[in-house]
Amino acid sequence: MKKHTITALLLTVVVAAVCVYSGNLFLSLRADDVIIPSKDLTEVRMLSDYLPKLKGTRGDTAIYIFKGEEEGGKALVLGGTHPNEPSSYTSAVILVENAKVTVGTLYVIPQAARSAFTHNDSQEASPLYVHFENSKGEVRKFRYGSRAVNPIDQWPDPDVYEHASSGQLLSGSETRNLNRAYPGREDGNLTEQVAFAITEMIKKENIGLTFDLHEASPEYPVINATVAHEKSMDFAAFGLFELDMYGIDMALEPSPVNLHGLTHRELGDYTDTYPLLMETANASQGRLRGATNEKLALDGKDKFYVSAGELGMLYVPYDENGHPIEERVGRHLQGVLSYTAAYNDFSGTPIVIENVPMYEEMIAAKVGDYLN
Amino acid sequence: MLTPITIVYLVILACVLALVVWNLFTEKKFTNQITAAMVTIPLILRLLLIK
C-alpha cells in the first residue's frame, strides 16, 4: 500500500472519531431539559394543542397550567424566547417547580423557542449548559441555547426578513427569531407557526396578562427595564412603584409602535392581553465580554464590563460583584408578582400566585434552593 | 420533513464531500491531506443533519 493511502486511511479514522464525538455533543442538545413541576400543577398541555401541525416538530413545547380553586384572571409567562438568556427560562422553571395558584390561572411556557435550545450561536463560544445544585445536593442541568431557532429545523434564511403582517424589513437571520415573528402565521415558517400558536392560545384561553422574560447585554439601552404596550402602561406604572419598594431599579419603556414582531407590540395589538417584556443584564451575551463560559453566564462577573462601566459605556451599574443569576431571576420573579398585583387592582379579575420566591429571598439564596 | 431546497442542498453537499474524500485519498502531500480531512468534518455533520 502506498504511503499516501496509509496516511489517508489514518486521517479517515481521525475524522470518524471527531465526527462521532462532536456529533454526539450536538445531538445531546436535542434532549429536553428535565423540569420537575410543583405538586400544585393542574395540567400540562402542548403548544400543538393550539396549532396541530406543530405536533412532532421541535416547535412544539410544554405549557404548564396552574388553576386556582377560585375563578379569576389568567396570566401567561413566556420563558426561553431567547435560550441564550438564562435568567429568562430559569425564572420560568422556578415558577413551574414552586408556584401555587389560589385564584385565577397561570400558564407558564419555560421554553417558548424549544428548537433554539438545541444549538448554540456559532462563533460565540457559549457554554452548552448551566448547572445548579438543589437543596438535596443533586445537580440540575439546563441548556444554554441560541437566540434563534435551529437552522436544522428552519432553513434557508432569506437575505432580508419581511415581517408578514407589517412588511417591516429586518436582517435575514431574524427570520428565526421568535420575538420578531408575532403575531405569527399558521402557514408560515416554524418560527412564525410557534408565534401563531402562542397568539392563538392567548386568544382561545382569554389570557389577560402576558409576561415575556428576557436578558440583554449591559451595553444595550433597554436593560433593567420593562417594555410595555401602551394599554399596559397604567397598571405597569403602579407595579413599578412596588418594585421600587423592594429595592429594584426598573425603567418603564413604551413599546415602539413601529417596531414589529415583538410580544410587547403585537400581542397587545392582535389580542386582548396586556403584554409586558422584562430585561435583565446578562454579560455572557454582550459584545464587550471576556472569557465566555458557564461561570460568566451565572455570576456575570467580567473585568471588561467593570472597565466599560467606569468609562460610562453601559446602561446598567457594573462593579466587581457582577450581576449574578440570583439577582436577575429575582428581578424577573418579583416583576411577575408585582405587576400581577397591579394588574389585579386594574382589571378586577385577580390572579393570586403563592410560594414563589420574592426578590429579597432570591438574592439571599441560590437558584438551586428553589429547584426540585 | 425535508423541503425540496434541502434535498438539493444535500445532493450538492454529498457531491462536494465525495470530491473532498477523493482528494484526501489521491493527494500525495500530507499537509493537503490534513486540510481535506478537516474539510470533511463539517460536511459530514451537515449531510447527517446533525449541525
Side-chain angles (χ1 to χ4, degrees), chain A residues 1-15, chain B residues 21 23-37:
Chain A
M1 194 180 287
K2 289 178 182 170
K3 187 183 162 193
H4 73 273
T5 308
I6 294 170
T7 53
L9 286 170
L10 287 173
L11 285 169
T12 303
V13 172
V14 173
V15 165
Chain B
V21 171
N23 182 253
L24 171 66
F25 278 87
T26 54
E27 179 63 50
K28 292 192 172 53
K29 199 174 171 188
F30 184 56
T31 50
N32 287 348
Q33 283 187 308
I34 291 176
T35 306

Side-chain angles (χ1 to χ4, degrees), chain A residues 2-5 7-9 11-12 14-15 18-19 22-24 26-27 30 119-120 122 150 152 155-156, chain B residues 3 5-6 9 24-30 33-34 36-38 40-42 44-46 48-51:
Chain A
K2 289 178 182 170
K3 187 183 162 193
H4 73 273
T5 308
T7 53
L9 286 170
L11 285 169
T12 303
V14 173
V15 165
V18 171
C19 285
S22 55
N24 277 328
F26 287 126
L27 290 174
R30 297 186 193 177
H119 74 133
N120 276 162
S122 58
N150 194 332
I152 293 288
W155 181 90
Chain B
T3 58
I5 195 166
T6 304
Y9 168 73
L24 171 66
F25 278 87
T26 54
E27 179 63 50
K28 292 192 172 53
K29 199 174 171 188
F30 184 56
Q33 283 187 308
I34 291 176
M38 286 194 300
T40 60
I41 294 168
I44 292 168
L45 293 175
R46 294 231 160 198
L48 298 175
L49 293 178
I50 291 173
K51 178 61 182 167

Side-chain angles (χ1 to χ4, degrees), chain A residues 52-178:
Chain A
K53 67 162 69 167
L54 281 179
K55 199 173 181 66
T57 73
R58 275 191 285 272
D60 202 5
T61 190
I63 305 162
Y64 297 85
I65 303 171
F66 296 82
K67 205 171 263 185
E69 287 179 2
E70 279 183 52
E71 289 289 315
K74 294 180 176 179
L76 165 66
V77 176
L78 294 170
T81 292
H82 295 147
N84 61 336
E85 299 169 7
S87 86
S88 162
Y89 56 84
T90 306
S91 302
V93 168
I94 287 181
L95 275 172
V96 172
E97 300 207 356
N98 293 274
K100 177 181 181 178
V101 173
T102 52
V103 183
T105 309
L106 175 67
Y107 300 77
V108 186
I109 304 181
Q111 300 190 327
R114 181 166 155 248
S115 164
F117 279 87
T118 63
H119 74 133
N120 276 162
D121 288 326
S122 58
Q123 301 183 359
E124 291 290 330
S126 305
L128 294 179
Y129 297 98
V130 291
H131 299 82
F132 302 103
E133 189 178 321
N134 67 12
S135 53
K136 291 175 256 178
E138 298 160 343
V139 175
R140 300 285 306 277
K141 182 172 87 170
F142 299 96
R143 290 166 294 175
Y144 183 107
S146 161
R147 181 176 172 81
V149 160
N150 194 332
I152 293 288
D153 298 323
Q154 183 185 313
W155 181 90
D157 289 349
D159 291 335
V160 176
Y161 163 51
E162 182 176 353
H163 179 249
S165 58
S166 68
Q168 169 187 265
L169 300 179
L170 290 169
S171 144
S173 61
E174 295 286 13
T175 195
R176 288 182 286 113
N177 181 349
L178 178 58

